[in-house]
Short mmCIF file of all heavy atoms in Angstrom, two decimals:
data_model
loop_
_atom_site.label_atom_id
_atom_site.label_comp_id
_atom_site.label_asym_id
_atom_site.label_seq_id
_atom_site.Cartn_x
_atom_site.Cartn_y
_atom_site.Cartn_z
N ALA O 7 34.87 27.29 -46.05
CA ALA O 7 33.72 27.54 -46.91
C ALA O 7 32.94 26.25 -47.17
O ALA O 7 31.70 26.25 -47.22
CB ALA O 7 34.19 28.13 -48.24
N GLN O 8 33.66 25.15 -47.30
CA GLN O 8 32.98 23.87 -47.52
C GLN O 8 32.17 23.46 -46.29
O GLN O 8 31.04 22.98 -46.40
CB GLN O 8 34.02 22.81 -47.86
CG GLN O 8 33.41 21.45 -48.18
CD GLN O 8 34.49 20.43 -48.56
OE1 GLN O 8 35.67 20.74 -48.52
NE2 GLN O 8 34.07 19.24 -48.93
N GLN O 9 32.74 23.68 -45.11
CA GLN O 9 32.00 23.35 -43.89
C GLN O 9 30.77 24.23 -43.72
O GLN O 9 29.70 23.75 -43.30
CB GLN O 9 32.94 23.51 -42.68
CG GLN O 9 34.07 22.49 -42.63
CD GLN O 9 35.05 22.76 -41.52
OE1 GLN O 9 34.99 23.80 -40.86
NE2 GLN O 9 35.97 21.81 -41.29
N ALA O 10 30.90 25.51 -44.06
CA ALA O 10 29.75 26.40 -43.98
C ALA O 10 28.67 26.00 -44.96
O ALA O 10 27.46 26.05 -44.66
CB ALA O 10 30.19 27.84 -44.24
N LEU O 11 29.07 25.53 -46.14
CA LEU O 11 28.10 25.11 -47.15
C LEU O 11 27.39 23.84 -46.71
O LEU O 11 26.18 23.69 -46.88
CB LEU O 11 28.80 24.91 -48.49
CG LEU O 11 27.92 24.52 -49.69
CD1 LEU O 11 26.86 25.59 -49.95
CD2 LEU O 11 28.78 24.31 -50.93
N GLN O 12 28.14 22.93 -46.14
CA GLN O 12 27.53 21.68 -45.67
C GLN O 12 26.59 21.92 -44.49
O GLN O 12 25.58 21.22 -44.34
CB GLN O 12 28.63 20.69 -45.28
CG GLN O 12 29.43 20.17 -46.46
CD GLN O 12 30.59 19.29 -46.03
OE1 GLN O 12 30.91 19.22 -44.84
NE2 GLN O 12 31.20 18.62 -46.98
N SER O 13 26.87 22.93 -43.66
CA SER O 13 25.99 23.21 -42.53
C SER O 13 24.64 23.78 -42.96
O SER O 13 23.69 23.79 -42.18
CB SER O 13 26.67 24.20 -41.57
OG SER O 13 26.86 25.46 -42.21
N SER O 14 24.54 24.24 -44.21
CA SER O 14 23.27 24.76 -44.70
C SER O 14 22.39 23.67 -45.29
O SER O 14 21.36 23.97 -45.89
CB SER O 14 23.52 25.84 -45.76
OG SER O 14 24.14 25.28 -46.91
N GLY O 15 22.77 22.43 -45.13
CA GLY O 15 21.99 21.32 -45.66
C GLY O 15 22.31 21.00 -47.10
O GLY O 15 21.52 20.39 -47.81
N PHE O 16 23.50 21.37 -47.54
CA PHE O 16 23.90 21.11 -48.93
C PHE O 16 24.10 19.62 -49.17
O PHE O 16 24.66 18.91 -48.36
CB PHE O 16 25.20 21.86 -49.22
CG PHE O 16 25.90 21.40 -50.45
CD1 PHE O 16 25.45 21.76 -51.70
CD2 PHE O 16 27.00 20.56 -50.35
CE1 PHE O 16 26.11 21.32 -52.83
CE2 PHE O 16 27.65 20.10 -51.49
CZ PHE O 16 27.20 20.49 -52.73
N ASN O 17 23.58 19.16 -50.31
CA ASN O 17 23.91 17.82 -50.79
C ASN O 17 23.84 17.86 -52.31
O ASN O 17 23.20 18.74 -52.91
CB ASN O 17 22.98 16.76 -50.22
CG ASN O 17 21.52 17.03 -50.56
OD1 ASN O 17 21.11 16.85 -51.70
ND2 ASN O 17 20.74 17.48 -49.58
N GLN O 18 24.49 16.92 -52.95
CA GLN O 18 24.57 16.93 -54.42
C GLN O 18 23.19 16.81 -55.06
O GLN O 18 22.92 17.39 -56.10
CB GLN O 18 25.47 15.77 -54.88
CG GLN O 18 26.93 15.93 -54.47
CD GLN O 18 27.59 17.10 -55.17
OE1 GLN O 18 27.14 17.51 -56.24
NE2 GLN O 18 28.61 17.64 -54.55
N GLY O 19 22.30 16.05 -54.44
CA GLY O 19 20.97 15.89 -55.04
C GLY O 19 20.14 17.16 -54.96
O GLY O 19 19.29 17.40 -55.83
N ALA O 20 20.37 17.99 -53.96
CA ALA O 20 19.58 19.21 -53.80
C ALA O 20 20.14 20.38 -54.61
O ALA O 20 19.54 21.45 -54.65
CB ALA O 20 19.52 19.60 -52.33
N LEU O 21 21.30 20.21 -55.21
CA LEU O 21 21.92 21.30 -55.95
C LEU O 21 21.18 21.53 -57.26
O LEU O 21 20.99 20.62 -58.06
CB LEU O 21 23.39 20.95 -56.25
CG LEU O 21 24.24 22.06 -56.87
CD1 LEU O 21 24.30 23.25 -55.93
CD2 LEU O 21 25.63 21.53 -57.16
N LYS O 22 20.73 22.73 -57.49
CA LYS O 22 19.99 23.07 -58.70
C LYS O 22 20.93 23.70 -59.72
O LYS O 22 21.93 24.32 -59.38
CB LYS O 22 18.86 24.04 -58.36
CG LYS O 22 17.84 23.47 -57.38
CD LYS O 22 16.78 24.49 -57.07
CE LYS O 22 15.79 23.94 -56.04
NZ LYS O 22 14.75 24.92 -55.68
N ALA O 23 20.55 23.62 -60.98
CA ALA O 23 21.42 24.10 -62.06
C ALA O 23 21.57 25.61 -62.05
O ALA O 23 22.66 26.15 -62.18
CB ALA O 23 20.88 23.63 -63.41
N GLU O 24 20.49 26.32 -61.88
CA GLU O 24 20.55 27.78 -61.95
C GLU O 24 21.36 28.39 -60.81
O GLU O 24 22.24 29.22 -61.04
CB GLU O 24 19.15 28.36 -62.00
CG GLU O 24 18.43 28.05 -63.31
CD GLU O 24 17.06 28.71 -63.37
OE1 GLU O 24 16.72 29.42 -62.40
OE2 GLU O 24 16.36 28.53 -64.37
N PRO O 25 21.10 28.03 -59.54
CA PRO O 25 21.94 28.56 -58.47
C PRO O 25 23.42 28.20 -58.65
O PRO O 25 24.30 29.00 -58.36
CB PRO O 25 21.37 27.93 -57.21
CG PRO O 25 19.96 27.63 -57.55
CD PRO O 25 19.98 27.24 -59.00
N LYS O 26 23.67 27.00 -59.16
CA LYS O 26 25.06 26.60 -59.38
C LYS O 26 25.72 27.49 -60.42
O LYS O 26 26.85 27.96 -60.24
CB LYS O 26 25.11 25.13 -59.81
CG LYS O 26 26.52 24.64 -60.11
CD LYS O 26 26.51 23.21 -60.55
CE LYS O 26 27.93 22.74 -60.89
NZ LYS O 26 27.97 21.35 -61.34
N ALA O 27 25.02 27.72 -61.53
CA ALA O 27 25.59 28.57 -62.58
C ALA O 27 25.81 29.99 -62.07
O ALA O 27 26.84 30.62 -62.34
CB ALA O 27 24.66 28.58 -63.80
N ALA O 28 24.83 30.50 -61.30
CA ALA O 28 24.99 31.86 -60.76
C ALA O 28 26.16 31.94 -59.79
O ALA O 28 26.92 32.90 -59.78
CB ALA O 28 23.70 32.28 -60.08
N ALA O 29 26.29 30.91 -58.96
CA ALA O 29 27.38 30.91 -57.99
C ALA O 29 28.73 30.82 -58.67
O ALA O 29 29.69 31.50 -58.28
CB ALA O 29 27.21 29.75 -57.01
N GLU O 30 28.85 29.99 -59.70
CA GLU O 30 30.12 29.86 -60.40
C GLU O 30 30.47 31.15 -61.13
O GLU O 30 31.64 31.56 -61.18
CB GLU O 30 30.05 28.69 -61.37
CG GLU O 30 30.02 27.33 -60.68
CD GLU O 30 29.92 26.19 -61.67
OE1 GLU O 30 29.65 26.47 -62.85
OE2 GLU O 30 30.10 25.03 -61.26
N SER O 31 29.46 31.82 -61.71
CA SER O 31 29.72 33.10 -62.36
C SER O 31 30.19 34.14 -61.35
O SER O 31 31.12 34.92 -61.60
CB SER O 31 28.45 33.59 -63.07
OG SER O 31 28.66 34.87 -63.62
N TYR O 32 29.54 34.14 -60.19
CA TYR O 32 29.93 35.08 -59.13
C TYR O 32 31.36 34.77 -58.64
O TYR O 32 32.16 35.68 -58.39
CB TYR O 32 28.94 34.96 -57.97
CG TYR O 32 29.28 35.85 -56.80
CD1 TYR O 32 28.86 37.17 -56.78
CD2 TYR O 32 30.01 35.36 -55.72
CE1 TYR O 32 29.17 37.99 -55.70
CE2 TYR O 32 30.33 36.17 -54.64
CZ TYR O 32 29.91 37.49 -54.63
OH TYR O 32 30.22 38.30 -53.57
N ALA O 33 31.70 33.51 -58.52
CA ALA O 33 33.05 33.13 -58.08
C ALA O 33 34.10 33.59 -59.07
O ALA O 33 35.17 34.08 -58.67
CB ALA O 33 33.13 31.62 -57.88
N ARG O 34 33.81 33.45 -60.37
CA ARG O 34 34.77 33.90 -61.37
C ARG O 34 34.96 35.41 -61.30
O ARG O 34 36.09 35.92 -61.41
CB ARG O 34 34.31 33.48 -62.76
CG ARG O 34 34.51 31.99 -63.06
CD ARG O 34 34.35 31.71 -64.53
NE ARG O 34 32.99 32.02 -65.00
CZ ARG O 34 31.98 31.16 -65.00
NH1 ARG O 34 32.18 29.91 -64.54
NH2 ARG O 34 30.79 31.51 -65.43
N LEU O 35 33.85 36.15 -61.14
CA LEU O 35 33.95 37.60 -61.03
C LEU O 35 34.78 38.01 -59.81
O LEU O 35 35.63 38.90 -59.88
CB LEU O 35 32.55 38.22 -60.93
CG LEU O 35 31.76 38.35 -62.23
CD1 LEU O 35 30.35 38.84 -61.94
CD2 LEU O 35 32.46 39.29 -63.20
N LYS O 36 34.53 37.36 -58.71
CA LYS O 36 35.24 37.72 -57.48
C LYS O 36 36.72 37.37 -57.58
O LYS O 36 37.59 38.12 -57.11
CB LYS O 36 34.61 37.01 -56.29
CG LYS O 36 35.05 37.60 -54.95
CD LYS O 36 34.22 37.04 -53.80
CE LYS O 36 34.66 37.69 -52.48
NZ LYS O 36 33.86 37.17 -51.34
N ALA O 37 37.05 36.24 -58.18
CA ALA O 37 38.45 35.86 -58.36
C ALA O 37 39.16 36.85 -59.27
O ALA O 37 40.30 37.25 -59.03
CB ALA O 37 38.55 34.45 -58.93
N GLU O 38 38.47 37.27 -60.33
CA GLU O 38 39.05 38.25 -61.24
C GLU O 38 39.24 39.59 -60.54
O GLU O 38 40.24 40.29 -60.74
CB GLU O 38 38.17 38.41 -62.46
CG GLU O 38 38.80 39.27 -63.56
CD GLU O 38 37.96 39.31 -64.82
OE1 GLU O 38 36.96 38.56 -64.90
OE2 GLU O 38 38.32 40.08 -65.73
N ALA O 39 38.28 39.97 -59.68
CA ALA O 39 38.42 41.22 -58.92
C ALA O 39 39.59 41.13 -57.96
O ALA O 39 40.35 42.11 -57.79
CB ALA O 39 37.12 41.51 -58.17
N THR O 40 39.79 39.99 -57.34
CA THR O 40 40.93 39.81 -56.43
C THR O 40 42.26 39.94 -57.18
O THR O 40 43.19 40.60 -56.71
CB THR O 40 40.85 38.44 -55.75
OG1 THR O 40 39.62 38.35 -55.02
CG2 THR O 40 42.02 38.23 -54.80
N ALA O 41 42.33 39.32 -58.35
CA ALA O 41 43.55 39.42 -59.16
C ALA O 41 43.81 40.86 -59.57
O ALA O 41 44.95 41.32 -59.58
CB ALA O 41 43.43 38.53 -60.39
#
């Protein structure tokens, strides 16, 4: 997943707050669904 993210041109400076918050919320939901 990290390699796929880096291949999309990801860098720390380009990371925006809103997409990050949405992604983290989605990750928590998916982890809870897996459990």
Side-chain angles (χ1 to χ4, degrees):
Q8 184 178 3
Q9 292 174 352
L11 182 60
Q12 290 175 350
S13 65
S14 65
F16 164 77
N17 59 73
Q18 294 293 336
L21 187 60
K22 300 179 182 179
E24 291 184 1
K26 178 181 178 181
E30 290 179 348
S31 176
Y32 178 85
R34 285 193 298 270
L35 282 174
K36 194 170 182 180
E38 188 174 353
T40 301

